[in-house]
Amino acid sequence: MNTTFTITRRVALKIAAGAVALGLAGPAAAETDFSGKTIEWIIPFSAGGGSDTWARFNAPLLSKYLPGNPVVVVVNEPGGGSTKGTNLFAARAKPDGLTILGTSGSTQFPYLLGDPRVRYEYKDWKIAMASPTGGVVYSSPELGLKGPEDIANLKDKDLVYASQGATSLDLVPLLGFRMMGFNVQHVFGFKGRGDGRLAFERGEVNIDYQTSSAYLKNVQPLVDAGQAVPLFSWGVLNEAGDVVRDPTFPDLPSFPEAYQMLTGNAPSGPDYDAYFAFFTAGFPAQKMVFLPKDTSDDIVATYQKAFEDMKADPEYQANAEAVLGTYEQVTGPLAQALFEKGTTIAPELRKQVVDMLADQYGVKLGE
Amino acid sequence: MVETLLSALGALLTFDHLLYMLIGVSVGLVIGVIPGLGGIAGLSLLMPFLYGMDEVAALAMLIGLVAVIPTSDTFSSVLMGIPGSSASQATVLDGFPLARQGQAARALSAAFISSMAGGIFGAVVLTGFVVVARPIILSFASAELFMLALFGLSMVAVLAGRSLAKGLAACCLGLIIGSIGGAPATGEFRMIFGFEYLYDGIPLVIVGLGFFAIPEIADLLRKNSAIASGNALGSGWFQGFRDWWRNLWLSMRCAGLGCIIGAIPGLGGSVVDWIAYGHAVQTVKKDPQFGQGDIRGVIAPESANNAMQGGALLPTMLFGIPGSGAMAVFLGGMVLLGIQPGPSMVGADLNITYSVIWSLALANVMGAGICLALAIPISRLTQIPFQRLAPFMIVLICFAAFQATRSLADLVALLALGVLGVLMKRFGWPRPALLIGYVLAPQAETYFYQALQFNGWSFLGRPGVIIIGLMTLASVFFGLRNRVDEHGQVVPNQDDAPDVPTLKAHLPQIGFAVAMAGLLVIALTDALKHDFLGKVFPLSVSIAGLAMLLVLIPQLVRGKTGHHAHFDGELTGEHVGQDGIGTLWGGLFWIGGLVGLTALIGFYAALLAFFPVFLIVRAKAGPVAVALMTAGAAGFILTLAWALSLNFPSGALQDLLDLPWPFR
């Protein structure tokens, strides 16, 4: 027994010494060959969530397509609703291309709302890739509608929605339903959209939305069985920055179309602008990969190319739908446009949303 | 269905799959043995390797890992009194006394056999249940989930200790700690006092380690002796097996309980061991010795926690709703493999579901077998003088603690709760009652609010609510009848506590009770600042807690000598009057030192300094031993950190200097 212990210790010591030596060697120079380097991909969420899965799906592909095939490790820095890890990235990351950040709608929302915990500035960073997502709103057939064309039936109904919280991604349906003039009771405290869907299946709520892949897998069977009625998709952004029908659901109206069906007018005005900012941050620009402030354009271009190249990889194509839903990850001008739209809100719109949340839902954004 | 079952089994029994499962099982065993590290850390360790693996093999590996953690975490629970993971906190209560009595072998073998039986039972139940599970799971709405949280809280009755007032006050404290952070209904941040760390609440692993591991380390460090007196392991391997066989019915009941609680999404698996333990205490009639080394106190939680893992797979696979942190990571793993959970898991993908279920059973057999084989070498640890073991334990516990949010604040929270834990142990405040309150606080509050929103007060008339309500009443009734105290005895409320008959000697425990009242007053004043929906829960809990203290404090001040409320380990503990007993604060002082040093120079550098200093000053070790042990620990932690790809918490030094990993 004793010998084994000693050997283990000796081996461990060697590993330790080796690792220390490795760490001390390798001064980081800004060059677009990453041979022998380790790239840290900061994910400000704990292991196992959507963002973590997304990063772990991309990491090996990124390693394969970046010049020099660096090791890409996903580093989880959870806490503070993703503000902690993001603050850390903003304070510590060097512009050498060896530290990147993956954000999500939950990182964008506190920034847009002016949460006091936010000490990062999106405008400092360079975007490498954006990963859009979409979702479909559906309701219970007990409300007496057959399909999207009957959406006006919902006007005078008491609707109940299972929400994760008024400052979470569920802010988008909250603002959307308000614009449509629906009478919705938001019940908070749900742990995720899956949890909300369960409440729908239990009959506790009668209106819900799911992101596209979850919708296809879990709600489509309900629709086929006559237990759910699809209403509209949130829609996707085209290159001009307009909301258009989601190509995954070509038969469903987008939110602006549904709004027009209800009211006869295209949505506009400050309410729509506020909705639009959070919608963009939550869906078309939901997940983004950033390089730190002052990163050279060469490095940014190298990353963009790697993200483009990986799309042809059979590994990517095999699993992309399960992880990403039905949407392509984008780079270049479209990513830049999504980035800008998803991280910008006029100060008066911010105030309007924050005041509304405080008045109507008792939400306070910390001290 | 039978055909699918057999083909799934066939695919599983090939050499490749068994090999991958063995890898998963081995990683799981190692992770389980390390105190504080559980399924989340283990799964994160394997995630990077999933890519490009065969579906069934990868699932076998993941399941192998998840399945055996509640088996191997028994080692540290039984041998050191430190819960190996949140799944075996209750095992400590009787397992550790057994080890100190030299019956570690009996306790361990009974635990491993129970774990295996629980795991297999879980798999058998799942095999049949999985096809009909959907409607049953869907019948648990917010109202029923709230009642289940109450049922869990009813276990406090049996774990409240000699003084019911003290036990309920401890439970209220737990509920208050559990309600720190965002309020479920309004998102208001409660009791954060300007600390960003508190926005998310205090993580479970910190609470578990702070209240259970640190007091034990502090206690063990007071004496310079090994954990086990005399024969470390004892004989009795077959004794353990016979014990389990004699209590087969209890083991099966607890496995059933574990399976059901695991399968209901939203309750969370971390109370399963306490519910099973409480159930054992409530139902065992023959010669109960709970708390002093009753083997049934080991069999019950160990049967339940492995079965729970099986149950927890159901909502994960059928609905994509993870029942626990570990299941969340498992879900991520499934998605990475291209498997989308959903109704198809009992339709087109039924073969995957069965391969998962049977992997679970196989892994449990593998895990229990390996644990039995490893038991003798691992148990030798209890013969090492504890002061040599202590630095490893302290470092490992800190390492486990900062897995939570990977910051220095984790360590500070651990230390603060550790101080509270040490004092609660000293003054006989039941820590299990606090833990149950802590774990169930968010569930109780959220589901109560949701049930009211969805149904109004008419939720009380739902049949499920009434059934669970009756179960809860029965549980309270049997619980109060069989109440056990912190150290064992089923309590008759007689005033025969070992005591010292002066008011002066009682001042420390009176002071502690007053301090706890102070904490509740702080919670109460904080609650008043919030909206109705944000304040109603902490407000009612703190008022209830204060009412309990209003009963307790006069009892402590005026109660006659030996009143059942009196307890102070420093007056009547078995160490009193012995030679060579260090101060109560020695262990905390060292842990505080490591945390303080981390604040200055970062965790890894602090570890490199802490180890030699501790070994030289406290353990009086020779230079060779110091060098070897420091290098061993440093290497081990480094390897683990590297495999988990994490950065250590940084200190003031790191703000000034840019250092390479692991000092970064």
Side-chain angles (χ1 to χ4, degrees):
Chain A
M1 225 28 245
N2 267 334
T3 23
T4 351
F5 268 132
T6 331
I7 288 171
T8 331
R9 276 186 198 131
R10 210 176 290 147
V11 173
L13 190 64
K14 273 186 196 158
I15 296 171
V20 169
L22 270 180
L24 292 172
E31 55 192 25
T32 40
D33 182 23
F34 292 118
S35 324
K37 299 283 169 54
T38 297
I39 289 171
E40 287 195 359
W41 188 344
I42 310 253
I43 291 296
F45 299 91
S46 39
S51 295
D52 179 65
T53 308
W54 165 74
R56 285 176 196 276
F57 164 77
N58 276 295
L61 292 161
L62 195 55
S63 160
K64 192 167 167 185
Y65 289 96
L66 277 175
N69 305 110
V71 179
V72 180
V73 292
V74 174
V75 180
N76 301 96
E77 296 277 2
S82 88
T83 55
K84 188 204 133 210
T86 312
N87 284 336
L88 207 69
F89 172 84
R92 292 264 170 86
K94 288 190 291 294
D96 52 11
L98 298 183
T99 314
I100 59 177
L101 171 76
T103 71
S104 151
S106 320
T107 325
Q108 273 94 258
F109 278 27
Y111 170 84
L112 291 174
L113 288 167
D115 188 302
R117 288 172 290 175
V118 170
R119 287 190 294 278
Y120 45 86
E121 174 52 70
Y122 273 96
K123 305 287 181 262
D124 287 346
W125 301 333
K126 310 273 174 75
I127 185 156
M129 180 267 269
S131 186
T133 185
V136 175
V137 177
Y138 58 97
S139 73
S140 157
E142 269 113 69
L143 295 167
L145 27 58
K146 299 253 177 308
E149 62 281 2
D150 302 333
I151 192 167
N153 281 11
L154 295 180
K155 270 271 185 194
D156 47 358
K157 295 279 167 34
D158 290 328
L159 302 178
V160 189
Y161 178 80
S163 170
Q164 304 169 68
T167 55
S168 73
L169 275 178
D170 284 336
L171 178 58
V172 176
L174 190 148
L175 295 172
F177 295 154
R178 277 179 69 86
M179 275 195 72
M180 292 180 143
F182 290 161
N183 172 26
V184 183
Q185 177 194 5
H186 292 265
V187 178
F188 299 108
F190 283 82
K191 297 286 174 329
R193 288 300 343 127
D195 211 8
R197 190 183 65 241
L198 210 56
F200 179 86
E201 291 194 48
R202 293 194 298 241
E204 291 182 316
V205 303
N206 51 20
I207 190 162
D208 186 45
Y209 98 85
Q210 295 290 316
T211 52
S212 304
S213 49
Y215 179 86
L216 291 173
K217 188 82 182 179
N218 288 296
V219 183
Q220 193 59 50
L222 297 179
V223 172
D224 296 340
Q227 291 164 356
V229 181
L231 296 176
F232 55 87
S233 77
W234 298 117
V236 296
L237 281 191
N238 65 12
E239 303 216 5
D242 299 321
V243 185
V244 294
R245 278 198 182 195
D246 190 327
T248 316
F249 307 100
D251 299 333
L252 290 180
S254 65
F255 173 80
E257 285 178 80
Y259 181 87
Q260 193 153 12
M261 284 160 64
L262 265 175
T263 61
N265 302 312
S268 64
D271 279 347
Y272 183 63
D273 292 342
Y275 162 84
F276 185 79
F278 287 99
F279 155 73
T280 314
F283 294 95
Q286 189 189 52
K287 298 205 193 310
M288 294 185 275
V289 179
F290 287 105
L291 288 150
K293 194 177 183 176
D294 302 329
T295 305
S296 75
D297 292 343
D298 285 351
I299 295 180
V300 178
T302 309
Y303 268 95
Q304 297 218 356
K305 183 167 177 337
F307 277 117
E308 277 307 322
D309 290 349
M310 71 166 70
K311 288 183 193 168
D313 195 286
E315 199 84 67
Y316 177 94
Q317 290 173 344
N319 284 334
E321 185 154 341
V323 180
L324 306 172
T326 42
Y327 306 88
E328 275 302 0
Q329 304 191 132
V330 296
T331 59
L334 183 53
Q336 183 67 30
L338 292 176
F339 165 39
E340 281 165 18
K341 287 211 156 58
T343 54
T344 310
I345 187 168
E348 62 277 11
L349 288 180
R350 164 187 299 169
K351 187 170 182 312
Q352 173 194 324
V353 173
V354 169
D355 289 349
M356 184 274 292
L357 290 177
D359 291 350
Q360 309 273 319
Y361 303 97
V363 172
K364 297 187 197 88
L365 291 162
E367 316 290 75
Chain B
M1 182 185 143
V2 175
E3 204 176 304
T4 325
L5 186 63
L6 289 178
S7 76
L9 198 58
L12 210 65
L13 287 175
T14 59
F15 176 74
D16 261 15
H17 297 149
L18 289 177
L19 184 73
Y20 278 114
M21 186 188 291
L22 190 63
I23 296 174
V25 167
S26 315
V27 176
L29 290 176
V30 174
I31 293 290
V33 168
I34 301 174
L37 290 190
I40 302 180
L43 285 167
S44 321
L45 211 60
L46 291 184
M47 286 285 261
F49 303 104
L50 286 187
Y51 224 72
M53 275 179 71
D54 167 62
E55 223 169 59
V56 180
L59 279 176
M61 186 169 86
L62 293 181
I63 289 288
L65 182 133
V66 176
V68 301
I69 284 174
T71 309
S72 65
D73 64 1
T74 311
F75 277 117
S76 69
S77 301
V78 168
L79 296 176
M80 311 201 175
I82 296 169
S85 79
S86 62
S88 65
Q89 279 156 343
T91 312
V92 173
L93 258 52
D94 281 291
F96 190 48
L98 280 168
R100 296 190 103 167
Q101 292 158 19
Q103 301 195 56
R106 178 184 170 205
L108 285 176
S109 64
F112 296 145
I113 300 286
S114 306
S115 290
M116 186 172 83
I120 295 177
F121 180 87
V124 171
V125 170
L126 285 184
T127 303
F129 189 57
V130 68
V131 221
V132 293
R134 253 185 99 80
I136 296 178
I137 291 179
L138 282 176
S139 67
F140 283 88
S142 306
E144 283 79 17
L145 291 173
F146 166 66
M147 291 309 290
L148 278 174
L150 278 194
F151 176 69
L153 281 173
S154 76
M155 290 301 159
V156 168
V158 79
L159 296 163
R162 286 183 74 95
S163 158
L164 193 59
K166 219 187 249 183
L168 293 176
C171 178
C172 289
L173 273 177
L175 288 165
I176 287 290
I177 297 176
S179 66
I180 294 175
T186 59
E188 289 169 282
F189 294 104
R190 298 182 298 211
M191 281 174 283
I192 50 172
F193 308 113
F195 295 109
E196 279 187 19
Y197 180 75
L198 295 177
Y199 273 68
D200 295 336
I202 302 178
L204 171 64
V205 58
I206 309 272
V207 176
L209 290 174
F211 282 105
F212 288 91
I214 290 194
E216 220 49 64
I217 291 179
D219 232 26
L220 287 167
L221 258 181
R222 299 176 74 179
K223 304 170 257 218
N224 287 326
S225 63
I227 292 173
S229 39
N231 184 356
L233 248 189
S235 52
W237 290 105
F238 290 102
Q239 176 69 34
F241 184 80
R242 276 198 300 273
D243 284 326
W244 170 75
W245 182 249
R246 263 204 295 272
N247 294 292
L248 184 66
W249 176 224
L250 173 72
S251 169
M252 290 299 118
R253 282 199 318 261
C254 291
L257 260 177
C259 209
I260 294 170
I261 293 171
I264 299 167
L267 198 62
S270 25
V271 283
V272 124
D273 49 332
W274 291 112
I275 293 184
Y277 184 83
H279 174 72
V281 178
Q282 287 165 354
T283 51
V284 161
K285 288 194 192 68
K286 211 179 103 202
D287 186 24
Q289 299 273 317
F290 287 102
Q292 292 173 312
D294 192 311
I295 195 72
R296 290 163 294 196
V298 173
I299 291 172
E302 288 303 314
S303 306
N305 60 16
N306 283 62
M308 189 273 290
Q309 300 287 5
L313 280 170
L314 273 185
T316 313
M317 292 196 301
L318 298 189
F319 296 97
I321 297 168
S324 64
M327 279 299 139
V329 185
F330 180 73
L331 189 65
M334 277 177 65
V335 174
L336 273 185
L337 291 168
I339 307 171
Q340 269 273 17
S344 65
M345 299 306 285
V346 286
D349 298 331
L350 191 62
N351 61 327
I352 296 181
T353 310
Y354 277 132
S355 102
V356 164
I357 292 176
W358 284 97
S359 298
L360 190 73
L362 265 177
N364 268 298
V365 176
M366 268 187 196
I370 298 176
C371 280
L372 280 171
L374 284 178
I376 293 180
I378 290 187
S379 311
R380 295 241 165 88
L381 285 177
T382 56
Q383 287 171 313
I384 301 173
F386 190 72
Q387 66 271 26
R388 296 224 164 175
L389 211 53
F392 287 98
M393 301 312 295
I394 293 174
V395 164
L396 279 179
I397 281 171
C398 290
F399 183 82
F402 72 67
Q403 297 303 308
T405 73
R406 300 190 171 172
S407 70
L408 180 66
D410 286 324
L411 299 183
V412 177
L414 176 73
L415 187 64
L417 294 184
V419 172
L420 202 54
V422 166
L423 290 171
M424 285 184 75
K425 187 169 184 208
R426 170 174 172 183
F427 297 123
W429 285 56
R431 291 165 289 157
L434 179 138
L435 193 84
I436 291 178
Y438 161 79
V439 173
L440 291 174
Q443 273 90 338
E445 183 182 8
T446 308
Y447 294 131
F448 183 59
Y449 151 77
Q450 289 178 353
L452 276 184
Q453 290 278 312
F454 289 138
N455 313 90
W457 286 103
S458 72
F459 86 83
L460 290 170
R462 294 167 64 104
V465 169
I466 294 173
I467 293 170
I468 306 172
L470 291 175
M471 278 165 58
T472 308
L473 287 179
S475 165
V476 171
F477 174 75
F478 286 109
L480 289 178
R481 231 178 44 175
N482 294 359
R483 187 144 44 100
V484 284
D485 73 9
E486 198 58 0
H487 303 271
Q489 297 83 347
V490 173
V491 237
N493 255 355
Q494 283 162 9
D495 294 336
D496 59 349
D499 204 351
V500 175
T502 59
L503 178 66
K504 186 158 172 274
H506 292 152
L507 281 180
Q509 47 184 314
I510 295 170
F512 182 72
V514 171
M516 292 303 101
L519 283 186
L520 289 171
V521 169
I522 294 176
L524 189 137
T525 27
D526 180 87
L528 290 174
K529 290 192 299 204
H530 300 292
D531 279 356
F532 176 74
L533 282 176
K535 85 169 129 195
V536 60
F537 181 79
L539 191 67
S540 359
V541 168
S542 49
I543 290 175
L546 283 170
M548 289 304 133
L549 285 171
L550 220 56
V551 176
L552 179 69
I553 293 174
Q555 284 178 345
L556 290 177
V557 176
R558 289 207 302 261
K560 59 180 190 294
T561 306
H563 187 278
H564 63 267
H566 283 158
F567 186 87
D568 186 345
E570 296 309 290
L571 296 177
T572 55
E574 52 191 43
H575 63 271
V576 173
Q578 282 183 6
D579 289 334
I581 296 298
T583 137
L584 185 62
W585 303 105
L588 282 171
F589 167 78
W590 283 104
I591 299 169
L594 179 61
V595 176
L597 208 54
T598 303
L600 287 178
I601 58 175
F603 183 76
Y604 199 69
L607 178 158
L608 293 179
F610 172 80
F611 241 82
V613 173
F614 187 99
L615 288 170
I616 294 167
V617 176
R618 183 66 182 78
K620 313 255 185 295
V624 180
V626 171
L628 280 177
M629 286 166 80
T630 308
F636 179 72
I637 292 288
L638 197 70
T639 315
L640 211 55
W642 173 78
L644 285 165
S645 65
L646 64 82
N647 294 325
F648 293 104
S650 57
L653 181 67
Q654 280 74 11
D655 291 335
L656 300 174
L657 283 175
D658 191 19
L659 296 168
W661 192 84
F663 298 103
R664 181 161 39 174

